[in-house]
Amino acid sequence: VPPGTARRGESGMELGTHLKGLFLALTTVIFWGTLPIALKQVVTTVDPTTIVWIRFSTGALWLWFWLPRRTTRRARSGLYSGRVVLLLGVAAAGLGGNFVLYNASVACMSASACQIVAQAGPMLLMLGSVLVLGEALRRVQVAGVVVLLLGLGLFFNERLTELFQIRDGYGLGLALGLTAAVVWAVYGLAQRILLREMAPPRIMRALYTCCALALFPFATPSALLRLDTAQSLCLAYCCLNTLVAYGAFSRAMSCWNTAKVSAILTLTPLFTLAFAQIFHLLAPSFFPADPLNWLGYGGALVVVCGAGLIAVGPLLHLPALPHRH
């Protein structure tokens, strides 16, 4: 074998893995970025609980069909331990609550505003990981929190007074969105612990099934009959989105560095803004314009920068803040 051939082969495989991880992460960003735009068309006719129930139900059915055909190296015994069952319950409550609250916030705010507020989720997950899991907190991540909060203020610069009126409009949407971010962080912490004992597909199958069963008594399936053709297509896309986005996200996490995937995902709000403008140009009567001034667009960019600093902190190898004992 000529000298350097094996090394070149390994470099090629490594490049292929990086490109695959980047492609999967960008796929997740595109689907998550367009999700609130489609949801916006459906929540005007169907309540958020019913929308989330049908999304979880279709996801659970697909995973029950697909997963038995896959093999896993993880032991199944952990599925029946009391600790794992408790963690699954916490994760299911966090994920289901996040979906319902996020869908409800879409009814109160624009699609881009919902995505901007959702960036509080990774920030809270990072803080929770420090407090609960004892992970290191780096100065660059603290700076990211400050930048993100500044960006939120800039993004809502025209609606600052409305944000304190939580009975309706943007104030209610912000409250719902922030609560959704809190319960998502709880879900993320529980999932991180579960990943030590269960394979990701089995975790998602259990969570989707639990959420679908728990939400069924509160859902109104007959409301789905009121959807017109365009809204039905949007709902079908939302159901597909649940499968494709989370599937691509799981695959990206398995073949690429977690911090790199997280850094790419912080671009989601920018994709939402871009797609909202594109869809408005294509069908202005169906997709309303995003009510933002230039300061609001700048605020969105600042929020993404702040979320990016939080995500890439572990990659920068900067010193962590000292722990207080």
Side-chain angles (χ1 to χ4, degrees), residues 24 41 50-51 53 114 120 163 173 180 229 237 316:
L24 290 169
Q41 314 310 316
T50 302
I51 297 173
W53 168 74
C114 292
L163 299 183
T229 302
Y237 176 75
L316 300 179

Side-chain angles (χ1 to χ4, degrees), residues 52-186:
V52 175
W53 168 74
I54 192 66
R55 290 178 63 194
F56 276 130
S57 297
T58 54
L61 288 173
W62 172 250
L63 287 173
W64 276 104
F65 170 78
W66 172 79
L67 192 57
R69 303 171 185 274
R70 309 285 295 182
T71 58
T72 178
R73 298 180 181 178
R74 305 287 182 91
R76 297 183 181 181
S77 58
L79 180 62
Y80 305 103
S81 69
R83 177 172 177 270
V84 170
V85 170
L86 176 61
L87 286 170
L88 282 173
V90 172
L95 184 63
N98 169 261
F99 269 54
V100 173
L101 290 166
Y102 180 82
N103 280 248
S105 72
V106 170
C108 303
M109 298 191 296
S110 67
S112 58
C114 292
Q115 284 290 19
I116 288 294
V117 175
Q119 296 307 302
M123 176 188 69
L124 295 170
L125 177 59
M126 181 267 295
L127 296 175
S129 299
V130 172
L131 295 175
V132 178
L133 303 180
E135 295 185 359
L137 178 62
R138 291 170 171 81
R139 289 179 173 83
V140 67
Q141 292 176 303
V142 176
V145 172
V146 175
V147 172
L148 190 148
L149 295 176
L150 174 63
L152 284 174
L154 292 174
F155 181 82
F156 290 108
N157 70 91
E158 293 183 297
R159 299 179 179 270
L160 290 177
T161 56
E162 297 180 41
L163 299 183
F164 297 97
Q165 303 171 4
I166 61 174
R167 293 185 178 182
D168 55 12
Y170 267 65
L172 177 59
L174 178 64
L176 291 169
L178 290 177
T179 308
V182 171
V183 296
W184 183 86
V186 173

Side-chain angles (χ1 to χ4, degrees), residues 1-17:
V1 179
T5 301
R7 183 174 298 176
R8 287 195 298 269
E10 293 175 359
S11 299
M13 292 178 61
E14 184 177 352
L15 177 61
T17 301

Side-chain angles (χ1 to χ4, degrees), residues 296-314:
Y297 283 107
L301 184 59
V302 173
V303 167
V304 169
C305 291
L309 290 175
I310 295 172
V312 303

